[in-house]
Amino acid sequence: MKKDGGLPEDLLITILMALPAKCLVRFRSVSKYWNSLITGAEFISIHLAQAKPLLLFHHHNQSYSLRLDNESLDMWSNSEFELPSKREDDDFQIIGSCNGVICLLNSPQDHGHSIILWNPSIGKSLNLVLPRLSDPFHGIFGFGFNRQSNDYKFVRVATPHYPVGCQVYSVKERSWKAIDVSPALGYINPIPSVLWGRSSSYNYAFLNGVLHWLVDREEFGSRFVLSFDLRNDSFGKMMLSPYLASKLDEWMAILVYDNSVSLFLNDLDTKYIEIWALKKYDAMKLWARKLRIKAVGIGLAMVCRQNGEILMTRYPSDEVVSCDPQRNEIHDLQNLGLSDYADSYVESLALLDELKEETEKENVEITHSATFAIPSFKCIH
């Protein structure tokens, strides 16, 4: 079937699916039908599923860049981009990314804190004003996607206040919601990461619609994994194994490894680094050690690559290295420079169906950026 007197619909969709996100944003202006097709949830979802895997880096000169997640980590063409705001007093800290949307905390000197959900590929961002709950730096944060409801959510848990307060922002609903937190959580704190360049407030693992943080229950001096399910807005927790629980004086981080929520342990006494994955055995979930390798001068793990290697930083230089679990080797990556953050990333149309002019509401500001300007005569990566 043809639409707008042009190509058959199936052929048109096949062609459009092969194009990068920045080109598709421009092609919405071809016709109302093209715009409706490209901004449709189904098109955005299928386009995302076939996106090329990339890695997002934050460098010491405060710039961001993208690289292909291939053997040589090649620079992705036209990949260096500017932040969505250029005010001199802006102070951005990256919280995380999901489906090509980067979640930033902006803490300018002259006005309140805000959360920015930013998709550089389409040059748009959504600014959220944080409701007054407590100091935004005292707590834990997470950002993810609920596939069931096609909704992006930002989660903020205020700590160490009691009772613990939690607020969730739904992009689809354009609103904040307070979540009742069980008193059983007690006084919780994010695990401090002295060797890690980023605040421990932003160290979380997102897997299958669930956010996970490694936290400390202050009154008992014990650590556990706190989870938040974006599908039903509910909390859960998983205790550590006796071995991991005994490592209170070592540096830990939580990450996704081998498609499992995992803990990275840097044992400064033994000079070994370990990765423990949370695996399901019958009806139980148990911690299983997946990696143990001698490593001197390593900070903490940042992200797992498509080939199974893990990007880490040296301490205190923040030089990026890659750990090969199969060979138990660590390789220097000279071409990456100094970075204090890395995460998986894809170029996508995420949020394009949400960020429309007519949906602007109170406490939400949609901005358009000139980032990734496309030449008038062709589309390029």
Side-chain angles (χ1 to χ4, degrees):
M1 179 179 179
K2 295 184 178 182
K3 297 282 187 177
D4 293 351
L7 296 171
E9 184 175 22
D10 290 347
L11 178 58
L12 174 62
I13 292 176
T14 300
I15 294 172
L16 293 179
M17 281 292 177
L19 297 176
K22 55 193 175 187
C23 295
L24 292 171
V25 171
R26 181 189 175 198
F27 290 160
R28 290 183 305 154
S29 62
V30 170
S31 69
K32 289 184 178 180
Y33 170 66
W34 280 42
N35 179 63
S36 175
L37 177 65
I38 293 170
T39 58
E42 183 177 3
F43 185 93
I44 292 174
S45 178
I46 297 174
H47 187 268
L48 173 65
Q50 62 186 32
K52 191 181 298 292
L54 304 172
L55 291 169
L56 168 68
F57 290 90
H58 177 254
H59 305 288
H60 276 207
N61 61 1
Q62 302 305 313
S63 67
Y64 293 83
S65 66
L66 296 175
R67 290 182 177 269
L68 284 169
D69 191 1
N70 58 11
E71 184 176 354
S72 54
L73 294 172
D74 297 322
M75 183 69 75
W76 183 237
S77 298
N78 292 346
S79 64
E80 292 193 10
F81 44 80
E82 297 179 352
L83 292 167
S85 174
K86 296 182 178 179
R87 292 190 302 246
E88 291 185 0
D89 65 335
D90 282 333
D91 181 15
F92 291 102
Q93 298 184 61
I94 189 167
I95 293 176
S97 69
C98 178
N99 294 347
V101 180
I102 302 172
C103 183
L104 298 166
L105 173 66
N106 187 18
S107 307
Q109 299 176 358
D110 61 346
H111 51 284
H113 304 80
S114 65
I115 295 295
I116 298 178
L117 305 182
W118 171 44
N119 185 339
S121 301
I122 64 175
K124 291 185 179 181
S125 59
L126 179 67
N127 297 350
L128 318 178
V129 177
L130 282 170
R132 193 165 188 83
L133 183 64
S134 63
D135 187 336
F137 289 98
H138 291 163
I140 52 179
F141 306 85
F143 173 64
F145 179 66
N146 178 9
R147 189 183 301 274
Q148 292 181 355
S149 60
N150 193 38
D151 191 12
Y152 289 87
K153 292 184 177 182
F154 170 76
V155 179
R156 172 192 183 201
V157 183
T159 63
H161 305 281
Y162 186 83
V164 175
C166 174
Q167 294 171 324
V168 178
Y169 184 84
S170 162
V171 170
K172 195 170 188 178
E173 299 295 331
R174 287 292 197 279
S175 63
W176 290 93
K177 179 172 71 171
I179 302 296
D180 183 34
V181 179
S182 169
L185 289 182
Y187 295 84
I188 60 173
N189 283 304
I191 300 299
S193 301
V194 178
L195 293 182
W196 200 25
R198 306 174 66 237
S199 167
S200 56
S201 296
Y202 317 144
N203 177 212
Y204 65 92
F206 178 66
L207 181 66
N208 298 330
V210 183
L211 294 164
H212 303 81
W213 301 271
L214 180 61
V215 298
D216 178 79
R217 185 160 178 176
E218 188 173 291
E219 64 267 39
F220 298 130
S222 61
R223 294 178 178 180
F224 64 92
V225 173
L226 176 68
S227 65
F228 185 82
D229 194 327
L230 299 183
R231 295 165 292 190
N232 53 23
D233 291 345
S234 63
F235 281 97
K237 62 180 179 179
M238 171 60 63
M239 302 308 296
L240 304 188
S241 67
Y243 172 79
L244 290 172
S246 70
K247 300 293 183 178
L248 291 178
D249 295 327
E250 310 302 339
W251 283 278
M252 290 186 184
I254 193 166
L255 74 164
V256 176
Y257 175 76
D258 192 25
N259 201 35
S260 301
V261 173
S262 304
L263 293 181
F264 176 91
L265 170 65
N266 190 339
D267 194 323
L268 300 181
D269 292 330
T270 64
K271 309 300 182 185
Y272 276 90
I273 56 175
E274 302 175 357
I275 288 185
W276 291 76
L278 186 59
K279 294 292 186 178
K280 189 173 183 179
Y281 297 94
D282 295 327
M284 297 188 301
K285 290 184 177 180
L286 301 174
W287 294 98
R289 188 164 67 188
K290 308 295 289 187
L291 169 71
R292 189 171 191 262
I293 181 173
K294 192 80 170 182
V296 179
I298 295 296
L300 286 180
M302 296 191 293
V303 65
C304 296
R305 301 173 59 188
Q306 294 286 310
N307 63 4
E309 294 187 8
I310 310 162
L311 291 184
M312 306 177 182
T313 57
R314 290 203 179 278
Y315 177 76
S317 66
D318 277 346
E319 294 174 300
V320 181
V321 298
S322 189
C323 173
D324 185 341
Q326 299 299 321
R327 299 181 178 179
N328 275 14
E329 295 176 348
I330 292 179
H331 308 283
D332 289 321
L333 299 173
Q334 304 286 344
N335 60 328
L336 290 185
L338 305 182
S339 299
D340 55 17
Y341 174 84
D343 199 1
S344 300
Y345 186 81
V346 290
E347 291 188 335
S348 76
L349 296 169
L351 296 185
L352 187 60
D353 53 340
E354 299 287 349
L355 302 185
K356 298 176 182 178
E357 296 297 334
E358 63 268 24
T359 61
E360 294 187 18
K361 294 184 178 181
E362 185 179 4
N363 283 342
V364 176
E365 177 187 353
I366 298 175
T367 60
H368 303 260
S369 137
T371 307
F372 296 130
I374 303 168
S376 60
F377 55 91
K378 63 178 179 179
C379 271
I380 58 174
H381 285 274

